Amino acid sequence: MQQNDLLYMQRCIELAGLGAGSVAPNPLVGAVLVCDNEIIGEGWHQRYGEAHAEVNCINSVSDANRYRIASATLFVSLEPCAHYGKTPPCSDLIIHHRIPRVVVACSDPFPAVDGKGIQKLREAGIAVTEGLLEKEARNLNRRFFCQVEKKRPYIILKWAQTADGFMAGTGNERLLITNEPANRLVHRWRSEEAAILVGTETALRDNPALTNRLWKGRNPVRMVLDRSLRLPSHLALFDQSNKTIVLNTVKQENDAQVQYEKIDATIPLTDAILKAANANGLQSILVEGGAYLLQSFIDSGTWDEIRVITNRQIRIGKGLPAPLFQAHFSEEQQIGSDMIRYYFQTEQTHS
């Protein structure tokens, strides 16, 4: 490893994160071109179907510095692709510009790449270093890696609860638990995921729009579990403003922005949901309720993150209990009266 390699790869990962919410199902990728310890180009994958990070990085090099490309080192947070997809192979572009050294944070497990990009570079005489900040790079693209390696979407369970552990009161009136800054954060979370899922009772009780109105970026695909098709058409979920997938056991049908996806009632509920999500190419799902649906994912062990927002100033004594699980939180964030704890699934974590 050469001087400042770590710094440049950290910059790659920082750049890659700028594409969050815009590039899925593609991975987040950042690239930095360095010559004589000077950054002469930077880029990241900005939008699905458009130029990759390496292309944007090389294109960003000024005319005055173009001659230096052939003496530079390219840092990239994910293995350059070696196949024709929506864009040409980035490995061919690197070879074309005669970049002599490439530093890669982690390999790409996607079958069309999976080491082929690195192999192509080495066969062209390019020195390739692998594994620099690999853990950080994999964490950044945990949704992508989950889909490719586990063949299912990345699952995030989220709920808000009172200080005494309730998600809702005993009546039908909606209980507002989170404060305004925390609400904005939740809308940011929505913008980062492919889909958002709720159950029938949550849709009926709260009539949520499930959009990220309080944050920039695209809205997730709305999913609602309504096995018997009990939900009335006047709910906000059916306002045609965004795609909604209704998971049910009655019919398979498309109606403008509302898609009725018939799920298999003979298999476990979470398996049926994941099967439907895969069929629709959804890389990640933010599950926002209700308690039964959340508990189903917990009990089956089918989750990757849990985010719990607890308002420490609200106690209601009785009501709808929050889901139960056993795990140690990895991160904690205080936002006014709200405490957010983040839990990550590991091989040692069991419900």
Side-chain angles (χ1 to χ4, degrees), residues 297-313:
F297 278 95
I298 291 170
D299 291 345
S300 68
T302 312
W303 61 273
D304 299 286
E305 291 183 37
I306 295 178
R307 302 172 183 177
V308 182
I309 306 174
T310 303
N311 189 316
R312 295 186 168 182
Q313 294 181 354

Side-chain angles (χ1 to χ4, degrees), residues 3 20 30 96 112 117 163-164 193 211 250-251 282 296:
Q3 184 182 15
H96 171 76
D164 50 353
E193 308 310 329
T211 58
V250 179
K251 66 178 181 179
L282 300 173
S296 296

Side-chain angles (χ1 to χ4, degrees), residues 1 21 30 40 71 89 93-94 170 179-180 202 204 207 261 290 294 299 303 308 331 344:
M1 187 170 67
I40 62 172
S71 302
L93 179 70
I94 295 167
T170 55
N179 60 34
E180 192 57 35
T202 299
L204 285 171
N207 190 20
E261 185 77 25
L294 290 163
D299 291 345
W303 61 273
V308 182
E331 301 174 22
F344 295 89

